[in-house]
Amino acid sequence: MNKIVLITGATSGIGLGCARKFADNGDKLILTGRNEQKLSEIQKELSDKGAEVITLVFDVRQREQAKQAISQLPEEWQAIDVLVNNAGLALGLEPEYQGNPDEWETMIDTNIKGLLTMTRLIVPGMVERNSGHIINIGSVAGDAAYAGGNVYCATKAAVKALTDGLRIDVADTAVRVTNLKPGLVETNFSNIRFRGDTERASNLYKGIKPLTGDDIADVAVYAANAPAHVQIAEVLILATHQASGSVIVRK
């Protein structure tokens, strides 16, 4: 049966990969992001292929914006089956004692508070219907800190704890909860982290074939379509020559 899938941060990277893969699966999509033009372009791309898509323009850091956007969903779109909490980012790679507090707040507000906001808005309906699936995009960075990762790693450790905690909270229901933990994925993630320094970002992927947003999306679609009695609780997805968050063999 086709599902209604809400994906945050759907304009690029893993979020865009998920939008395309769930569309290929025949699901109906609610795509959210801050860039209205990009959302419109993606909506047209997927609609031209036969997908049913609506878009919501808001920043997950703005709780009232998110609340208002979700409240205005058409009635036939309100029973969301899958929530993909993808919106997230990293900023900087400085030592913790030299970090930018404004960038810390942006990471915390997006990666943790934004995820919590969307969870609070969508999951009560899933619990009431006794059906649904939350897929949180965590990171290998949530397993262990790496040099310069400090606050970003902390936010992804929080995603793991929040995902595990939610899974416990809904264990008496049929709602499922998944944490996907990608390693090195080639998206605009590094461009953002390095504040638009494209050369520095591209160096991160030299000597190794990294994952793509589509690779992570494949796992998300698989988890969402597992049999009802199967809960894919956590998946660590690494490039072949990456062993952990800090061990990468370049050739």
Side-chain angles (χ1 to χ4, degrees), residues 7 9-24 212-218 221:
I7 303 167
T11 57
S12 64
I14 294 172
L16 178 55
C18 285
R20 288 170 173 158
K21 294 288 184 176
F22 277 105
D24 289 344
T212 68
D214 285 350
D215 294 327
I216 310 307
D218 282 335
V221 172

Side-chain angles (χ1 to χ4, degrees), residues 76-95:
E76 64 271 21
W77 287 83
Q78 291 179 6
I80 294 164
D81 299 293
V82 180
L83 167 63
V84 181
N85 275 318
N86 165 74
L89 77 167
L91 292 169
L93 205 60
E94 292 79 22

Side-chain angles (χ1 to χ4, degrees), residues 8-9 60 85-90 107 110-111 152 156 189 192:
T8 66
V60 295
N85 275 318
N86 165 74
L89 77 167
M107 286 186 280
T110 306
N111 301 358
Y152 174 71
K156 290 304 183 178
F189 175 90
I192 293 171

Side-chain angles (χ1 to χ4, degrees), residues 15 38 75 91 116 138 210 225 246:
K38 283 187 178 180
E75 184 176 353
L91 292 169
L116 282 170
N225 288 279
S246 57

Side-chain angles (χ1 to χ4, degrees), residues 189-201:
F189 175 90
S190 293
N191 280 320
I192 293 171
R193 163 167 259 174
F194 297 129
R195 308 176 187 92
D197 187 337
T198 303
E199 183 178 356
R200 188 177 178 193

Side-chain angles (χ1 to χ4, degrees), residues 21-33:
K21 294 288 184 176
F22 277 105
D24 289 344
N25 195 55
D27 296 315
K28 298 169 65 174
L29 301 177
I30 304 170
L31 306 181
T32 87

